[in-house]
Amino acid sequence: MADDDHSELPTVLVLRRCPFIALLEPKCSQKFNLLKAWDSPLPQDRFLTTHARSVQALLSSGNGPPITAQILQLLPSLKLVVTNSTGLDHVDLAECRRRGIAVANAAKVFAEDVADTAVGLFIDVMRKISASNRYVRGGLWACRGDYPLGSKIGGKKVGIVGLGSIGLEVAKRLEAFGCSVSYNSRSEKPSLSYQFYSNVCELAADSDALIICCGLTEETHHMINKEVLSALGREGVIVNVGRGAIIDEKEMVECLVRGEIGGAGLDVFENEPNVPKELFSLDNVVLSPHQAIVTHEAFVDLGELVTGNLEAFFSNKPLLSLAVIN
Amino acid sequence: MELIERILMEWKSLFYPHFRPHHKNLEEPERKKKKEKRKKTRLCSSNNLGTKSKTNLGSHSESLMAQQLQNLPDVLIIKPPPAFISFESDFTQKFKILRAWKSPLPLDQFLTKHAQSVQALLCRAVTPVNADLLQLLPALKLVVTVSTGANHVDKAECRRRGIAVANAGNAYSEDVADIAVGLFIDVNRRISAADWYVRRGLWSSKGDYPLSSKIGGKRVGIVGLGSIGYEVAKRLEAFGCKISYNSRSERPSLSYPFYSNVCELAANNDALIICCALTDQTRHMINKEVLSALGKDGVIVNIGRGAIIDEKELVKCLVNGEIRGAGLDVFENEPHIPKDLVAMDNVVLSPHKSVYTLESFKRGSEVMIANLEAFFSNKPLITPAYG
């Protein structure tokens, strides 16, 4: 393991290997010295104490590990956390604020790709695309005949939970399909013409579908609960591209199994990569392995944004996508 | 006996005990009335309409119903379209349906016996309306197909015989466009393939699914910019795609770039979405040359008719990696699909169901009924199928 103190390039700590880091590495390693905690035989705590005391920047992945107060304690020189995700639920933001650590996220880089996934899942559930794909592949079209009807998308009332950059992109797309859009968000956005609901349960009651686009916070944890799912109703569809824990997953699975909601398109789960087994036998559910951002193009854009944020930091320039002020 | 019992059972469920006469249908021209009476008498004599059946209808209700049956114009159906099955009562209130598929007789015998004076045929896309069939229907003057595509109707033969043809017009355009876009997103973002990956437990055991391809910024060439193609274009623009098209003729009111040649369209786009009808000109229009021009990063989506694409060539290109992927709702020999496609992750297969929503069925039924009513009232058809 290289001793970062002697490198000419600024050091950036990375705790865990992940596909994103692997993709980023060729470009990043030309500008930064990547200090890879996972490469060391030492346990993480020992490694940080031994090698990372003067590290100023940490590159974090939305897939983990969580940047906890405990980890931050072992990094006394840390001044910047850059994450490859829009979501910040894996970072102890309060502790960062206390320690004067800036946090930069992926901001709007993914908004389009995530919105595309959300709408793709929504169309799939409504028109049963994946299910009928399996039907044809199983040879059933020839022997059993036509596949059952799907549901028309045009005219449906779609409630967007969280009208941030992702939610706005979803709204724009759904309008082109003739859906009517309303939303619940932390605050109303008066410049937009969509109908605002201050209560997510009321939004569910008045919608044919809910699309979850918000961040995971203490307030939004299990926000989509039994009450909201009941309000959504037997014909209602839910799509989640936020975080698994925004929905009470156990409750949702029960509702799906009992037919108390009409269907679901899920890109995120409470305990990834584990997906509740009951969902595997349901044709009205589409399962996606948290890949809403996983396009070649998004990775290129993200790589540029992450590198840009690190370069700005080390040149004492303003960050490109500051999420938390230090 | 069996046929008439079935008709009476259906009428009982519709009219008794909430029977009401249909005054509208009594306004038919005299000659049609006479034709109906003649036909009804033939039906009566062969099927004993009017005699007491085992259904325990009162003779008064029976004769009222028989009278109603007599006054409604005949519409022949060989194989029932799914839309008809869903909204049958909307049809039977206005027309007397000759249900060829329910007869124990082979089709040609049924038609010879029962359909000699039938003027209108309601058919689905899988029923070929060709010279052989038309020969058995000497009085036929109208074919109404439930589908948008009318390639299964021999238009030349119909023209020769003075038979008008009506299709579904743009009843299904939105729903078909939704499937086209859904398939396009699916192929690019690998939604079905990743869903299957998760269902097989591979996310936990093998890890993340491979990268897919962004939708925004893709150049999409629409083949056939009719009402369906237009709805597709509108939707894809909201995703940030750049639209261009090839069509029978340019549409100057639209700002999308027009290519007079489908090969050039393919060469200048990342994807082709086939939205046109199947005609002599478009059969196998998407051939080896076009697929090569589309290229190994290209994607093709077909919601038109299978035979617009040279399917054998398409399969070869997919097997050899000469195009990136395909989303197919239609095939040359439905419901059979080329075996090579089954194992491919980069292909999404759909069992010709782009119109399969209740709303489309309802809308389609309304259009069919409107065309039939127009015909029987000597008015112009609502959605004549030209070409």
Side-chain angles (χ1 to χ4, degrees):
Chain A
M1 196 61 226
D3 184 349
D4 53 284
D5 290 342
H6 297 311
S7 166
E8 285 176 13
L9 298 173
T11 300
V12 178
L13 172 65
V14 187
L15 294 175
R16 190 188 288 175
R17 172 185 221 106
C18 72
F20 170 69
I21 302 293
L23 278 170
L24 204 57
E25 198 171 336
K27 203 176 172 189
C28 257
S29 54
Q30 291 175 10
K31 303 186 181 197
F32 312 105
N33 172 39
L34 292 177
L35 186 59
K36 299 173 196 164
W38 76 83
D39 252 358
S40 169
L42 294 173
Q44 183 173 282
D45 284 5
R46 283 266 301 279
F47 176 82
L48 295 182
T49 316
T50 312
H51 295 289
R53 295 199 68 75
S54 58
V55 153
Q56 296 184 68
L58 164 65
L59 181 51
S60 156
S61 167
N63 291 338
I67 309 304
T68 59
Q70 193 193 9
I71 289 179
L72 293 172
Q73 216 166 326
L74 300 169
L75 300 167
S77 307
L78 197 69
K79 283 279 159 270
L80 172 68
V81 173
V82 180
T83 176
N84 68 348
S85 56
T86 315
L88 293 168
D89 49 287
H90 62 295
V91 179
D92 188 335
L93 297 175
E95 189 66 18
C96 285
R97 218 173 275 123
R98 230 187 331 273
R99 291 173 173 269
I101 299 171
V103 181
N105 68 349
K108 298 179 185 174
V109 160
F110 300 134
E112 292 179 359
D113 282 339
V114 179
D116 293 346
T117 291
V119 176
L121 288 172
F122 178 60
I123 300 174
D124 195 325
V125 177
M126 295 291 278
R127 300 299 303 277
K128 304 182 197 263
I129 295 181
S130 290
S132 61
N133 178 45
R134 288 195 295 277
Y135 186 78
V136 175
R137 291 185 132 84
L140 298 176
W141 189 19
C143 63
R144 275 200 210 161
D146 290 334
Y147 197 74
L149 298 187
S151 296
K152 187 180 177 70
I153 292 172
K156 289 292 184 294
K157 295 177 290 177
V158 181
I160 298 181
V161 181
L163 204 66
S165 53
I166 295 171
L168 269 173
E169 293 290 335
V170 172
K172 202 173 81 180
R173 283 151 176 72
L174 290 178
E175 281 189 301
F177 287 81
C179 295
S180 63
V181 174
S182 45
Y183 70 105
N184 163 257
S185 216
R186 273 176 301 198
S187 56
E188 192 171 358
K189 296 172 203 274
S191 58
L192 299 172
S193 58
Y194 309 130
Q195 187 173 359
F196 173 73
Y197 286 77
S198 55
N199 176 303
V200 76
C201 212
E202 277 175 39
L203 178 70
D206 275 359
S207 298
D208 301 307
L210 286 183
I211 307 204
I212 314 302
C213 302
C214 59
L216 175 62
T217 63
E218 275 173 24
E219 289 78 35
T220 64
H221 186 270
H222 281 199
M223 176 172 69
I224 310 300
N225 54 20
K226 189 185 173 77
E227 195 194 351
V228 174
L229 294 168
S230 296
L232 185 59
R234 305 191 72 87
E235 306 291 323
V237 160
I238 190 156
V239 171
N240 191 2
V241 291
R243 284 290 179 270
I246 297 168
I247 302 180
D248 180 342
E249 193 166 276
K250 234 171 137 204
E251 199 55 55
M252 177 185 61
V253 171
E254 271 176 38
C255 284
L256 285 162
V257 166
R258 291 197 295 250
E260 286 165 21
I261 60 170
L266 309 168
D267 185 54
V268 286
F269 303 85
E270 289 212 60
N271 186 24
E272 297 170 13
N274 301 309
V275 173
K277 302 262 179 303
E278 298 91 319
L279 300 180
F280 291 168
S281 57
L282 297 177
D283 263 356
N284 57 342
V285 176
V286 183
L287 306 168
S288 176
H290 200 157
Q291 59 152 11
I293 60 147
V294 181
T295 65
H296 292 278
E297 294 84 347
F299 265 44
V300 167
D301 289 347
L302 178 62
E304 283 175 11
L305 180 64
V306 164
T307 313
N309 271 309
L310 289 167
E311 281 181 321
F313 172 74
F314 287 115
S315 325
N316 284 320
K317 292 199 177 109
L319 294 175
L320 302 178
S321 54
L322 176 67
V324 171
I325 298 171
N326 56 341
Chain B
M1 227 357 153
E2 192 190 359
L3 173 62
I4 196 55
E5 276 179 14
R6 281 205 293 269
I7 291 174
L8 284 171
M9 284 295 287
E10 279 159 13
W11 277 79
K12 179 192 175 195
S13 66
L14 288 170
F15 291 106
Y16 181 81
H18 304 292
F19 175 76
R20 65 188 186 284
H22 293 269
H23 298 293
K24 273 195 295 189
N25 291 315
L26 302 177
E27 289 162 20
E28 292 173 11
E30 276 306 306
R31 58 175 174 79
K32 276 199 179 136
K33 268 190 189 160
K34 283 184 184 157
K35 248 191 190 162
E36 292 302 310
K37 195 171 180 184
R38 266 202 311 274
K39 190 173 56 58
K40 190 224 152 236
T41 312
R42 250 198 330 267
L43 256 180
C44 277
S45 57
S46 58
N47 294 304
N48 293 320
L49 182 67
T51 54
K52 252 200 170 74
S53 73
K54 292 173 191 166
T55 57
N56 290 325
L57 297 172
S59 60
H60 175 66
S61 305
E62 254 181 54
S63 64
L64 270 173
M65 283 202 293
Q67 194 177 346
Q68 283 311 113
L69 201 66
Q70 173 185 349
N71 292 326
L72 296 181
D74 286 343
V75 175
L76 169 67
I77 299 182
I78 293 168
K79 254 189 155 174
F84 169 82
I85 296 171
S86 296
F87 294 98
E88 191 164 339
S89 58
D90 290 353
F91 289 84
T92 51
Q93 284 176 19
K94 302 183 180 207
F95 312 107
K96 187 164 66 169
I97 307 295
L98 290 182
R99 295 174 170 75
W101 77 93
K102 290 202 171 182
S103 169
L105 294 173
L107 181 63
D108 51 350
Q109 281 186 44
F110 175 87
L111 296 181
T112 312
K113 200 164 180 191
H114 300 295
Q116 291 304 292
S117 58
V118 147
Q119 296 184 69
L121 166 67
L122 177 62
C123 70
R124 54 183 299 192
V126 296
T127 309
V129 180
N130 50 26
D132 289 341
L133 176 66
L134 294 174
Q135 218 165 313
L136 299 167
L137 300 167
L140 198 71
K141 283 279 159 270
L142 171 69
V143 172
V144 176
T145 179
V146 66
S147 52
T148 314
N151 52 287
H152 56 294
V153 178
D154 186 337
K155 286 197 200 63
E157 189 66 22
C158 287
R159 209 174 287 126
R160 224 181 341 270
R161 290 170 174 270
I163 299 171
V165 181
N167 67 352
N170 59 6
Y172 310 130
S173 300
E174 291 182 0
D175 281 344
V176 176
D178 291 348
I179 286 280
V181 176
L183 288 173
F184 178 66
I185 299 175
D186 195 326
V187 178
N188 277 292
R189 298 302 303 276
R190 304 201 182 189
I191 296 182
S192 290
D195 171 272
W196 186 226
Y197 185 79
V198 175
R199 278 170 200 268
R200 283 177 293 161
L202 297 177
W203 190 18
S204 347
S205 58
K206 269 177 108 179
D208 286 333
Y209 197 74
L211 294 185
S212 58
S213 187
K214 187 182 175 76
I215 308 278
K218 288 274 187 294
R219 301 166 302 164
V220 180
I222 298 182
V223 181
L225 203 68
S227 61
I228 294 171
Y230 177 70
E231 293 291 333
V232 172
K234 209 170 71 175
R235 282 151 177 71
L236 289 178
E237 278 192 300
F239 287 81
C241 294
K242 304 190 190 70
I243 307 295
S244 52
Y245 70 105
N246 162 258
S247 217
R248 273 176 303 196
S249 54
E250 193 169 355
R251 291 178 64 172
S253 59
L254 299 173
S255 58
Y256 309 130
F258 170 74
Y259 287 85
S260 54
N261 176 302
V262 76
C263 214
E264 270 177 53
L265 182 75
N268 284 287
N269 279 288
D270 304 306
L272 287 182
I273 306 202
I274 314 302
C275 302
C276 60
L278 176 62
T279 63
D280 288 338
Q281 290 75 35
T282 64
R283 180 173 296 275
H284 281 199
M285 176 171 70
I286 310 301
N287 54 19
K288 187 183 173 74
E289 195 193 350
V290 174
L291 293 169
S292 295
L294 185 59
K296 64 179 185 52
D297 287 326
V299 157
I300 192 159
V301 171
N302 190 3
I303 47 86
R305 284 287 180 270
I308 296 169
I309 301 180
D310 181 342
E311 195 166 272
K312 253 173 129 184
E313 202 53 55
L314 173 66
V315 173
K316 245 196 277 177
C317 285
L318 286 162
V319 167
N320 295 334
E322 286 162 30
I323 62 169
R324 181 160 60 83
L328 308 168
D329 184 54
V330 285
F331 305 85
E332 290 213 60
N333 187 23
E334 297 170 12
H336 305 288
I337 56 151
K339 297 265 177 299
D340 286 320
L341 298 182
V342 174
M344 292 187 201
D345 255 4
N346 55 339
V347 178
V348 184
L349 305 169
S350 177
H352 201 158
K353 58 189 265 287
S354 64
V355 310
Y356 272 48
T357 67
L358 204 60
E359 290 87 345
S360 269
F361 279 11
K362 176 76 180 164
R363 185 78 196 109
S365 299
E366 287 168 356
V367 171
M368 286 188 271
I369 290 170
N371 277 298
L372 288 165
E373 284 188 309
F375 170 75
F376 287 119
S377 321
N378 282 322
K379 295 201 176 102
L381 294 177
I382 314 299
T383 50
Y386 295 120

